[in-house]
Amino acid sequence: MMQRLGVIEIILRDRFDFFAEIQAGMNLRAKILDMLAAAFALFAIYGGVMGAAHSPLQAVSSFIKLPILFLVTLIICTPSLHFFNLLFGSRQTIQQTIALVLTAITTTAVLLASFAPITMFFLLTTSQYDFFKLLNVTFFGIAGLMGIIFLRQGIQVVTASDHPESVRTRRLIFSLWVLLYAFVGSQMAWTLSPFIGEPGREFILFRQFGGNFYSDVIKSISQLLFGMGF
């Protein structure tokens, strides 16, 4: 397992060489398996920290559900990016596309895990549920944004030798795909929630359907500001 986690340092330190190897199709299967293992482990750790705010059962539930969230989002969104790129001149294989997207997901997982001590600190020092929930949304947003930046860099390396007109079109597709990815990911997070668990309520594996991620965030912001007297 420790050997698989070594892919994290490679991505962070030598990502352009890593992207060049993806472009050349070098050891794609091994890279994909290593990134899956690393991302699952790091997401599980952060999920456990989130769920610990409620109960041991919630910690175990979030430990399992957070990696599933990103795997399912990967499965749903990657085919659209791959086939639209093929339509506009891409020469990448599906394995190369999966490897590139996993680079973003692994980067996101690493950054989330780096936030875990901060999350644990606020878990131990505050009982404000809405604040804690919005704190985690912020951390996910920062980590996800950095993951997308890494993915964009990877796509630039992999498409460096392609026709310029084709590359410009695919960059537009990528921008639209990022919005799709964010929407699917946030809705999947809502479907699999709760990850933190509302204090004072019993543990539940999944919330009843109704509402959506965005309305819940707006509600939490309003309740936090109202509670602070704004």
Side-chain angles (χ1 to χ4, degrees), residues 53-55 58 127 129 196-204:
H54 183 273
S55 64
Q58 188 65 61
S127 59
Y129 171 66
I196 299 174
E198 192 168 348
R201 295 193 176 185
E202 293 184 359
F203 164 77
I204 56 172

Side-chain angles (χ1 to χ4, degrees), residues 82-196:
H82 176 67
F83 288 111
F84 270 100
N85 280 340
L86 285 183
L87 185 64
F88 290 97
S90 172
R91 292 174 290 182
Q92 298 169 27
T93 66
I94 186 66
Q95 275 192 321
Q96 287 173 310
T97 303
I98 292 172
L100 285 172
V101 176
L102 273 173
T103 303
I105 290 176
T106 304
T107 303
T108 300
V110 172
L111 293 176
L112 273 180
S114 73
F115 284 132
I118 303 174
T119 302
M120 181 63 72
F121 169 77
F122 282 104
L123 166 64
L124 296 173
T125 58
T126 182
S127 59
Q128 174 56 262
Y129 171 66
D130 291 303
F131 170 80
F132 190 69
K133 183 163 59 174
L134 291 172
L135 178 73
N136 279 276
V137 170
T138 301
F139 287 165
F140 273 91
I142 294 171
L145 177 61
M146 293 304 300
I148 292 300
I149 290 173
F150 268 59
L151 177 56
R152 182 178 177 82
Q153 292 175 345
I155 290 176
Q156 289 174 342
V157 172
V158 171
T159 61
S161 61
D162 291 357
H163 191 279
E165 186 65 33
S166 171
V167 171
R168 281 194 292 270
T169 303
R170 297 209 303 275
R171 285 177 180 171
L172 175 60
I173 292 172
F174 172 73
S175 298
L176 297 174
W177 179 85
V178 167
L179 297 176
L180 172 67
Y181 181 84
F183 179 77
V184 171
S186 60
Q187 188 60 31
M188 185 57 61
W190 180 257
T191 302
L192 294 176
S193 63
F195 291 93
I196 299 174

Side-chain angles (χ1 to χ4, degrees), residues 16-32 34-35 93 95-96 99:
F16 290 106
D17 291 337
F18 190 78
F19 294 144
E21 290 181 3
I22 292 176
Q23 181 187 32
M26 295 174 56
N27 301 320
L28 289 178
R29 184 175 182 275
K31 285 181 171 60
I32 288 171
D34 288 348
M35 287 189 285
T93 66
Q95 275 192 321
Q96 287 173 310

